[in-house]
Amino acid sequence: DTGVSQDPRHKITKRGQNVTFRCDPISEHNRLYWYRQTLGQGPEFLTYFQNEAQLEKSRLLSDRFSAERPKGSFSTLEIQRTEQGDSAMYLCASRTGTGANYGYTFGSGTRLTVV
Amino acid sequence: QKEVEQNSGPLSVPEGAIASLNCTYSDRVSQSFFWYRQYSGKSPELIMSIYSNGDKEDGRFTAQLNKASQYVSLLIRDSQPSDSATYLCAVTSNNNDMRFGAGTRLTVKP
């Protein structure tokens, strides 16, 4: 168990560019979540997968955001045409089981800065 | 009304004191409740979970849940400077994605 890995740790991009982040969950965890966190706020839910199926996507999520988990293992989060308001920490988390009584394990996050 | 509400703090306590962190939630069907600790620049780390009304103790930490009042709290006994961090309250319900409060920043002064 090597924990949840995220890559890259930091990303600086110019406004209008596309960026893609990767998350490798704990291997036996079937659920994978993406959150976004800005300074002084708690993590904000973006989307989650059970195995390869994307089961929920936040209504607040712009259509510039897309996520995939093609083989039920790693996941990618892509942001197209980045805006300065996209600057945040993007957190990936995973867990096992399907009930409500399971805590998440978070990765170290990808800090995005849009200039 | 936010789904999960916490006092943003900062909460400051002297070393050795009890730190009390509070959280309220709006969704009555919420089933599970979690406390995460987040150091500055780091990702959240799970420290406590509670599912039933009452108290749950784990070392210096005690989580308290009152579903009728939609209230959950975290007590940290014998607070240490290393406990200085932001504490996030989180809840889940049947749809299973976790919703977080904005966090309470705790400072333990030596």
Side-chain angles (χ1 to χ4, degrees):
Chain A
D1 179 357
T2 57
V4 179
S5 299
Q6 291 189 246
D7 184 70
R9 293 292 303 275
H10 304 274
K11 178 71 176 179
I12 300 174
T13 191
K14 292 183 178 180
R15 188 174 52 185
Q17 297 295 304
N18 298 344
V19 294
T20 300
F21 310 140
R22 176 178 170 125
C23 173
D24 287 87
I26 293 172
S27 58
E28 62 269 27
H29 286 186
N30 58 350
R31 288 215 170 181
L32 185 149
Y33 299 80
W34 285 100
Y35 283 80
R36 175 174 61 191
Q37 187 176 26
T38 54
L39 195 62
Q41 299 299 314
E44 175 190 23
F45 170 76
L46 295 179
T47 188
Y48 86 91
F49 293 84
Q50 181 168 314
N51 300 314
E52 66 275 10
Q54 187 173 16
L55 296 187
E56 187 176 351
K57 186 175 177 180
S58 170
R59 288 170 294 175
L60 302 176
L61 200 60
S62 160
D63 58 8
R64 296 183 296 107
F65 288 70
S66 62
E68 293 182 341
R69 193 183 183 195
K71 296 182 178 180
S73 56
F74 73 92
S75 176
T76 58
L77 177 69
E78 181 183 17
I79 309 174
Q80 295 182 327
R81 305 181 302 281
T82 52
E83 302 173 355
Q84 287 188 320
D86 297 331
S87 296
M89 175 75 85
Y90 289 83
L91 294 164
C92 176
S94 70
R95 56 165 256 195
T96 188
T98 56
N101 294 355
Y102 294 91
Y104 297 1
T105 300
F106 281 90
S108 299
T110 294
R111 181 167 297 282
L112 173 66
T113 302
V114 181
V115 297
Chain B
Q1 181 187 10
K2 292 184 179 180
E3 292 181 76
V4 182
E5 297 216 44
Q6 298 179 253
N7 289 327
S8 61
L11 173 66
S12 182
V13 300
E15 184 174 356
I18 295 175
S20 178
L21 305 163
N22 305 315
C23 172
T24 58
Y25 58 95
S26 61
D27 188 350
R28 286 195 169 272
V29 301
S30 295
Q31 295 178 287
S32 304
F33 307 87
F34 303 86
W35 285 98
Y36 284 80
R37 178 176 60 202
Q38 187 172 28
Y39 293 113
S40 181
K42 303 295 184 182
S43 59
E45 173 193 12
L46 179 65
I47 55 173
M48 286 287 288
S49 59
I50 186 166
Y51 315 122
S52 304
N53 281 329
D55 295 359
K56 179 182 178 183
E57 186 173 320
D58 183 1
R60 296 186 296 112
F61 298 97
T62 298
Q64 300 174 317
L65 175 61
N66 183 326
K67 289 188 177 182
S69 301
Q70 296 175 238
Y71 174 89
V72 58
S73 66
L74 179 70
L75 301 178
I76 307 174
R77 290 182 299 280
D78 187 23
S79 295
Q80 301 298 309
S82 59
D83 294 326
S84 298
T86 295
Y87 289 80
L88 299 164
C89 174
V91 305
T92 60
S93 58
N94 281 336
N95 65 5
N96 291 331
D97 63 88
M98 192 173 291
R99 304 299 169 132
F100 287 82
T104 298
R105 187 158 55 94
L106 172 66
T107 300
V108 181
K109 296 186 175 180

